[in-house]
Amino acid sequence: MDDLKKRIVSGIVFALLLVGMFTLTFNIQPVKAGTIIVPDDYPTIQEAINAANPGDTIFVKAETYYENVIVNKTVSLIGENRETTIVDCGFGCGLRIASYDHLPHKIANITISKFTIRNAGMWGAIFLEKATSCNISNNNLIDSVTGIYLLDSDHNTIFANVMKNNERGFGLGVYVDESDYNNVSCNKITDNYGGISLSSSTDNIINGNDVSNNSGTGVSLDESNHNVISFNNVEKNQGLGISLYKSVNNAIQGNDIRNNSYDGIELYICLPPYPSLGNVIVNNNVISNGLEFPCRGIYSYFSGNNLIYHNNFINNARQVEIEKGLNTYTNTWDNGYPSGGNYWSDYNGTDLHWSSDQNETGSDGIGDTAYIIGENNTDRYPLMAPFTTFDAGTWNETAYNVDVVSNSTLSNFQLNTTLKTISFNVTGVEDTAGFCRITIPNIIVQDLWQGNYTVLLNGEPWSFRNWTDTTNTYIYVNYTYSEHQIIIIPEFPSAIILPLFMVLSVIVLVLAKKKRLKKTQT
């Protein structure tokens, strides 16, 4: 009997232990990310980082902190105000994001935002070493060796920072070294030694930055491939605008490259080691470069298989040069007919004919004779006026543009899917001749007009010429100035074009007014 009691008691105790264990198991709560405030909780940024748990936010109040900071765990480091939350590094390490060798993976998901970081030493104001998926945004990075330095780091975002007066050492706004898949966008990089430099780095995006007034080159690529350099303002740098050295399969597109002291674009030993296109240089404004020395709008040295079209080369000291004796290296200077080549402000040809052989009577916005660059290098279809591109939105999940070649000043471009119209204004010198060639993707032509359309000039039906290829529709219109509005609308019988357009316009205005009224009431 005593043994039975002992077994019963033991069973009860064991059951209670199991219940307790399960209770503890199911009541364990994950540690929630917290917020640490500097200097309220810790007097220095480094002490706050040391005490933080992964995922914490460290909020730093506005004052000046004289320290060097190592960020070695996943935290968000947020300043109160980027103008007045200052880290003065005393010429030592700035903010260093580092994954040490004993860690099995790169350090990830760190945010640094709203600081001024100054007087950083050798590795720059913010140094990312073996870091991935970090966000560096909205900081002032000044008076240092380099603004931001990426080494063996990938998938990071460098957004909306200001890098200026970084003249010591490397003296760069952004230095991307052996680092891939990073996005450097919308930064202001000015008054440094150099702007943005990529070395042995691939698949990075350099987009929408203002790179101006630097002592050296604006954007340079050194043995770096498959990068996109797009929509940057590269202006008034005392060196080159954009330089590619031993770099292939990069896209240089939509940049404004002007008033740089040396060449606007330099291709230096850019020969792909395989039978494919090299770099694609398209839709850039290359204006007034090399006037001081003089240099060129675009310079090619030991460089071939590059595709160069739809650029505007305007008033450069020399528009283009291929190093003498090296003309056997061939680049392609147009996109075929009817897409065309580049606009050269010193081209003096005529436009009286059209077709791929330029032997049919009628203008097409392309010169009747080629623009000769050198042996084996010719723009076969030079444009008669500057090339401008407009965002046409997304169609079937793909972004498209509407392109216009025109000697007019263009303004107020609109693509209205409700009215099914494309419209813009053209302006020029009174009583002079103007023209525009409008290139519209066929997917838009079919969606808006089912392929049938007409052109209005100041509301009146206007004659035009048109032709198509497999991708685009081309519409050519000429006129005499002053200012005009050009509208492309669906084709209807001429007697109802204007009344219908007026009715559609009234409908859109009424709907817009109702929407505004509803928004005001809510």
Side-chain angles (χ1 to χ4, degrees):
M1 191 70 176
D2 290 339
D3 291 340
L4 178 62
K5 288 182 179 178
K6 288 180 180 179
R7 286 198 295 271
I8 293 172
V9 172
S10 297
I12 293 171
V13 171
F14 181 69
L16 290 172
L17 286 172
L18 286 176
V19 170
M21 290 172 64
F22 278 109
T23 301
L24 287 171
T25 300
F26 288 104
N27 281 281
I28 292 174
Q29 299 294 325
V31 177
K32 294 182 179 179
T35 298
I36 297 173
I37 299 176
V38 179
D40 294 5
D41 298 322
Y42 293 92
T44 68
I45 299 170
Q46 188 63 65
E47 287 179 273
I49 292 171
N50 294 344
N53 293 311
D56 282 354
T57 295
I58 299 171
F59 180 78
V60 183
K61 288 187 173 180
E63 63 175 77
T64 300
Y65 300 84
Y66 296 91
E67 57 179 305
N68 307 127
V69 179
I70 295 177
V71 187
N72 56 7
K73 61 184 69 170
T74 298
V75 295
S76 293
L77 194 59
I78 310 297
E80 182 177 1
N81 182 294
R82 84 169 185 176
E83 306 294 336
T84 55
T85 309
I86 301 169
V87 179
D88 192 313
C89 304
F91 305 106
C93 170
L95 269 65
R96 182 174 181 178
I97 300 172
S99 177
Y100 297 112
D101 292 337
H102 66 272
L103 293 179
H105 51 75
K106 292 182 178 180
I107 194 165
N109 298 311
I110 291 170
T111 295
I112 296 178
S113 184
K114 296 185 181 180
F115 288 90
T116 287
I117 304 172
R118 68 190 186 198
N119 296 326
M122 179 177 178
W123 301 109
I126 297 179
F127 177 38
L128 284 73
E129 182 183 16
K130 296 183 179 180
T132 185
S133 303
C134 297
N135 186 330
I136 311 300
S137 62
N138 201 28
N139 298 287
N140 288 324
L141 309 167
I142 60 174
D143 294 329
S144 299
V145 169
T146 290
I148 295 177
Y149 182 8
L150 282 71
L151 177 62
D152 189 19
S153 295
D154 61 83
H155 294 94
N156 300 289
T157 298
I158 312 300
F159 178 77
N161 303 281
V162 176
M163 296 86 154
K164 63 181 180 179
N165 299 328
N166 297 297
E167 288 278 1
R168 301 189 304 274
F170 298 129
L172 298 169
V174 179
Y175 185 26
V176 182
D177 186 12
E178 297 183 355
S179 297
D180 308 326
Y181 298 101
N182 298 287
N183 189 321
V184 181
S185 296
C186 301
N187 301 283
K188 185 174 179 60
I189 302 169
T190 183
D191 297 312
N192 307 286
Y193 175 74
I196 301 172
S197 179
L198 276 63
S199 177
S200 301
S201 298
T202 65
D203 294 291
N204 297 283
I205 295 173
I206 310 299
N207 179 75
N209 301 283
D210 179 8
V211 187
S212 58
N213 293 293
N214 297 288
S215 300
T217 295
V219 179
S220 63
L221 278 65
D222 183 354
E223 298 190 43
S224 295
N225 307 325
H226 300 283
N227 301 286
V228 176
I229 313 299
S230 59
F231 304 105
N232 301 283
N233 177 53
V234 185
E235 183 178 6
K236 295 182 180 178
N237 298 288
Q238 295 178 29
L240 304 162
I242 297 177
S243 172
L244 279 67
Y245 173 73
K246 291 186 178 180
S247 298
V248 300
N249 284 5
N250 297 286
I252 312 298
Q253 62 186 43
N255 300 284
D256 203 17
I257 307 165
R258 64 177 70 211
N259 297 309
N260 298 287
S261 296
Y262 287 85
D263 302 320
I265 300 173
E266 181 185 76
L267 304 170
Y268 193 83
I269 316 181
C270 294
L271 283 167
Y274 30 79
S276 66
L277 288 175
N279 302 291
V280 177
I281 300 173
V282 59
N283 196 23
N284 301 282
N285 290 319
V286 186
I287 301 172
S288 299
N289 297 285
L291 300 182
E292 186 175 344
F293 288 99
C295 287
R296 291 104 350 186
I298 184 167
Y299 175 59
S300 176
Y301 179 86
F302 273 101
S303 183
N305 281 2
N306 300 292
L307 178 60
I308 305 164
Y309 69 95
H310 289 178
N311 302 285
N312 298 317
F313 293 100
I314 300 174
N315 298 332
N316 299 285
R318 286 178 284 174
Q319 299 282 55
V320 58
E321 182 181 356
I322 298 177
E323 186 70 20
K324 293 180 180 179
L326 303 175
N327 288 341
T328 53
Y329 295 102
T330 302
N331 295 296
T332 301
W333 297 86
D334 61 70
N335 195 36
Y337 188 88
S339 179
N342 304 278
Y343 173 67
W344 309 89
S345 62
D346 59 347
Y347 176 71
N348 55 9
T350 58
D351 179 20
L352 303 175
H353 300 90
W354 69 279
S355 84
S356 59
D357 295 325
Q358 292 294 295
N359 57 3
E360 301 287 339
T361 301
S363 301
D364 57 0
I366 291 174
D368 297 333
T369 57
Y371 185 89
I372 305 301
I373 297 166
E375 184 182 352
N376 300 323
N377 285 274
T378 299
D379 186 344
R380 299 172 299 166
Y381 302 111
L383 305 177
M384 292 299 295
F387 180 94
T388 305
T389 189
F390 297 99
D391 181 7
T394 301
W395 304 75
N396 288 350
E397 300 183 352
T398 301
Y400 287 93
N401 296 319
V402 169
D403 301 325
V404 181
V405 174
S406 181
N407 62 348
S408 308
T409 300
L410 308 175
S411 62
N412 198 30
F413 176 88
Q414 296 182 37
L415 192 157
N416 191 313
T417 54
T418 303
L419 291 175
K420 297 185 179 298
T421 62
I422 291 175
S423 63
F424 55 91
N425 295 339
V426 293
T427 308
V429 178
E430 191 84 18
D431 296 326
T432 61
F435 80 90
C436 61
R437 189 192 76 171
I438 309 145
T439 303
I440 308 171
N442 288 334
I443 188 174
I444 297 177
V445 173
Q446 290 301 318
D447 192 67
L448 291 183
W449 310 310
Q450 290 74 53
N452 298 307
Y453 51 87
T454 192
V455 175
L456 306 181
L457 188 75
N458 297 335
E460 299 288 341
W462 197 256
S463 62
F464 62 94
R465 296 183 58 250
N466 62 332
W467 59 100
T468 63
D469 59 20
T470 57
T471 305
N472 297 307
T473 292
Y474 302 83
I475 300 172
Y476 184 90
V477 183
N478 55 13
Y479 39 81
T480 301
Y481 293 116
S482 55
E483 183 174 0
H484 303 298
Q485 183 185 49
I486 292 175
I487 305 177
I488 306 171
I489 67 171
E491 187 174 42
F492 298 101
S494 59
I496 67 170
I497 287 176
L498 290 178
L500 180 60
F501 183 71
M502 292 173 65
V503 169
L504 289 172
S505 300
V506 169
I507 291 172
V508 171
L509 289 172
V510 170
L511 291 174
K513 185 175 181 181
K514 286 183 176 180
K515 186 176 181 180
R516 288 195 302 270
L517 182 61
K518 185 177 179 181
K519 186 176 181 181
T520 302
Q521 290 173 345
T522 57

